[in-house]
Amino acid sequence: MNAERIATLHVDGQEYKLPVLKPAIGPDAIDIRKLYKMANLFTFDPGFTSTAACDSTITFIDGEAGELLYRGYPVDELAEHSHFLEVCYLLLYGELPNQSQLDDFEHRVTMHTMVHDQMTYFFRGFRRDAHPMAIITGVMGAMSAFYHDSTDIADPEQREIASIRMIAKLPTIVAMAFKYSIGQPFVFPKNNLNYAANFLHMCFKVPTEKFTAAKAVSRALDRIFILHADHEQNASTSTVRLAGSSGANPFACIAAGIACLWGPAHGGANEACLLMLREIGSVDRIAEFIRRAKDPSDPFRLMGFGHRVYKNFDPRAKIMKQSADEILHELGDSDNSTLQVARELERIALEDEYFQERCLYPNVDFYSGIILDAVGFPTDMFTPIFALSRTVGWISQWKEMIADPDVKIGRPRQMYVGKRNRHYQPVKAR
Ligand code: CMC
């Protein structure tokens, strides 16, 4: 990236010249990499609100315009016309595949959907009532123990095999976590089904009954996968990059991403949102919850509302809302009470000064839970489904970082504000 402009920083009568880098789109960035050496100064930006930690060619968000691009393609076009594995190819390799590339990619993923048989014993070590996020974090980390032959990050072929393995096996692992938690036998993948239909099959098939996922349901799920596939340098992706910057193996890095995703401010919001909508229960209780969300002395927040980057609307939420309407209509549940509460809550919040002034809009998690609930998933499966969708994004970002010859271990600095110059006292003297 060339610097076309220079920023000048004045400190204590000294002048420091800093290059201003120009990305393909989005705000320019002041390059402060040499600042510490030049001026013995750090910048202070907890939460990275004004700091770009890397350059990337994968995903772009225009928070003001409410736009999300995967490799330059608007996510709404992809959600309407594409399907998840094609989007995976796009994120991983940078281009939409032609037919033979797509066939080959689908074949490679499909041939890796089974997991090592010993993994089933590993699952049995978890308590029955373990949260599936706890299980998949552990099992993903354990994949480096089951697939030693794809942990050498210096070998591009091993990186590729590890990537395909994770994309192929995560649905199987998530479905196994689900089956384990409800005491049903594991269901093997069925390779003649598409990615979403196969996942539904592994989750809802029981040995005694036939199961075929409704086309509308697998299409809605596929759309959820697409909308969650990547989201530039969010907390979990940054976690994956930071873990990967030390040279950790890919399974360990993605396990770190899954752990980070679990928090309610991030991927855990979809579960928290549905629980909130259920707690509200009926439209006449919405005012009370809005009041609580606005009260600075109450830690309660409207789950599924607000975003660090989107300050206009979240384009994923728009598609998700439409998808929720369609799927509930398809399932004959248009009067769904949770959807009614969600619609009314959105309407009231968007007309409220507090939410308007702070640019708080529904995010992707506001409607996704309603769809997953209607399909039959319990709330604790919502975040695992987010994790399986985001895996391709994490992998694409990790691969991009590993292939960058200039990559350095991630190592933020700090402002130390603790005690200084103290001396040890024996315990009796304290
Ligand atoms: N309900 C009520 N007030 C809110 C909310 C909310 N959901 N979100 C932000 N605010 C207020 C916040 O109290 C603050 O007000 P004030 O200026 O008076 O102190 C102001 O808006 C700015 O909030 P912030 O915490 O500085 O914003 P942030 O960019 O650090 O946080 C967020 C972004 C997504 C963590 C936050 O909006 C939030 O906690 N939302 C609820 C959880 C959620 O839905 N998360 C999913 C995010 S999208 C999926 C994903 O990427 O994982």
Side-chain angles (χ1 to χ4, degrees):
M1 255 185 295
N2 289 329
E4 289 172 4
R5 292 192 291 149
I6 297 287
T8 311
L9 177 71
H10 295 270
V11 184
D12 297 336
Q14 292 283 337
E15 196 179 275
Y16 303 101
K17 302 275 185 208
L18 299 164
V20 179
L21 304 177
K22 194 153 198 57
I25 16 176
D28 293 355
I30 302 173
D31 180 351
I32 56 157
R33 280 175 291 182
K34 299 209 168 85
L35 182 65
Y36 174 55
K37 267 196 187 141
M38 274 191 318
N40 195 32
L41 285 170
F42 291 149
T43 54
F44 182 62
D45 185 19
F48 298 98
T49 53
S50 302
T51 299
C54 62
D55 55 21
S56 179
T57 60
I58 302 171
T59 298
F60 175 74
I61 303 172
D62 183 336
E64 308 304 321
E67 191 177 50
L68 169 61
L69 308 177
Y70 292 166
R71 300 284 191 183
Y73 294 95
V75 75
D76 27 344
E77 275 184 33
L78 295 169
E80 191 176 343
H81 303 294
S82 186
H83 57 88
F84 184 63
L85 279 185
E86 187 176 62
V87 170
C88 288
Y89 186 100
L90 174 68
L91 288 169
L92 283 170
Y93 307 114
E95 298 296 336
L96 283 169
N98 62 29
Q99 191 62 54
S100 75
Q101 288 167 328
L102 182 61
D103 292 346
D104 173 64
F105 181 67
E106 288 186 340
H107 178 74
R108 280 188 291 141
V109 171
T110 307
M111 287 302 119
H112 281 284
T113 49
M114 280 175 68
V115 295
H116 194 292
D117 202 47
Q118 282 181 354
M119 279 182 119
T120 56
Y121 301 108
F122 192 77
F123 271 85
R124 296 188 204 288
F126 287 97
R127 272 173 62 136
R128 275 270 178 234
D129 59 355
H131 195 289
M133 279 303 276
I135 298 181
I136 67 168
T137 310
V139 175
M140 176 52 85
M143 275 180 75
S144 48
F146 287 98
Y147 302 101
H148 294 290
D149 58 342
S150 51
T151 53
D152 178 2
I153 63 157
D155 178 351
E157 203 181 319
Q158 291 199 30
R159 298 204 295 263
E160 177 65 17
I161 295 170
S163 309
I164 297 289
R165 278 181 168 152
M166 285 187 276
I167 293 166
K169 292 184 201 308
L170 236 277
T172 313
I173 290 169
V174 172
M176 286 169 83
F178 176 50
K179 285 297 199 190
Y180 185 72
S181 70
I182 55 174
Q184 289 183 5
F186 298 139
V187 175
F188 283 121
K190 211 170 172 194
N191 283 352
N192 63 336
L193 297 175
N194 69 38
Y195 197 84
N198 180 39
F199 178 64
L200 288 164
H201 164 78
M202 290 187 288
C203 288
F204 296 121
K205 166 93 179 110
V206 287
T208 46
E209 297 291 329
K210 275 195 175 159
F211 175 81
T212 311
K215 273 215 170 87
V217 172
S218 59
R219 179 71 191 125
L221 191 63
D222 192 75
R223 205 170 263 175
I224 288 181
F225 293 164
I226 293 175
L227 294 177
H228 287 85
D230 196 41
H231 213 226
E232 50 125 294
Q233 307 311 317
N234 56 85
S236 57
T237 303
S238 300
T239 301
V240 169
R241 280 188 178 254
L242 199 55
S245 75
S246 74
N249 78 63
F251 304 111
C253 296
I254 304 305
I258 295 174
C260 176
L261 185 78
W262 195 0
H266 193 7
N270 52 15
E271 179 175 354
C273 180
L274 197 84
L275 295 175
M276 175 193 78
L277 292 172
R278 281 190 189 146
E279 194 190 342
I280 296 174
S282 61
V283 289
D284 53 303
R285 294 195 62 212
I286 291 174
E288 175 195 336
F289 283 79
I290 295 267
R291 203 167 37 248
R292 285 189 58 200
K294 289 163 37 174
D295 179 355
S297 63
D298 188 332
F300 173 76
R301 284 185 166 198
L302 279 193
M303 286 293 130
F305 253 80
H307 198 273
R308 170 64 61 76
V309 185
Y310 294 119
K311 296 302 172 200
N312 187 333
F313 62 91
D314 179 341
R316 304 168 301 171
K318 267 189 159 180
I319 307 167
M320 213 58 101
K321 182 179 185 178
Q322 189 192 334
S323 211
D325 282 336
E326 283 167 14
I327 196 74
L328 290 177
H329 177 73
E330 191 73 31
L331 298 173
D333 193 14
S334 296
D335 295 335
N336 183 292
S337 61
T338 318
L339 182 64
Q340 280 176 9
V341 171
R343 281 201 199 113
E344 190 59 7
L345 180 64
E346 178 186 1
R347 191 190 65 75
I348 294 174
L350 293 184
E351 284 174 2
D352 190 297
E353 240 175 44
Y354 173 95
F355 294 89
Q356 286 173 351
E357 274 168 9
R358 289 166 181 76
C359 303
L360 299 170
Y361 296 85
N363 59 48
V364 67
D365 293 322
F366 195 67
Y367 285 103
S368 62
I370 292 170
I371 301 175
L372 294 174
D373 179 51
V375 168
F377 285 108
T379 50
D380 63 4
M381 277 293 285
F382 294 2
T383 317
I385 289 170
F386 190 159
L388 92 77
S389 325
R390 182 57 58 84
T391 295
V392 66
W394 291 327
I395 294 169
S396 306
Q397 302 268 351
W398 172 81
K399 283 178 93 180
E400 181 178 64
M401 185 193 67
I402 298 290
D404 178 355
D406 294 331
V407 73
K408 279 182 182 304
I409 186 166
R411 202 329 182 163
R413 305 305 291 256
Q414 63 166 18
M415 285 214 307
Y416 178 70
V417 293
K419 302 264 187 332
R420 52 195 286 179
N421 296 339
R422 298 208 284 179
H423 293 288
Y424 181 81
Q425 297 288 324
V427 69
K428 283 188 183 146
R430 286 176 221 154

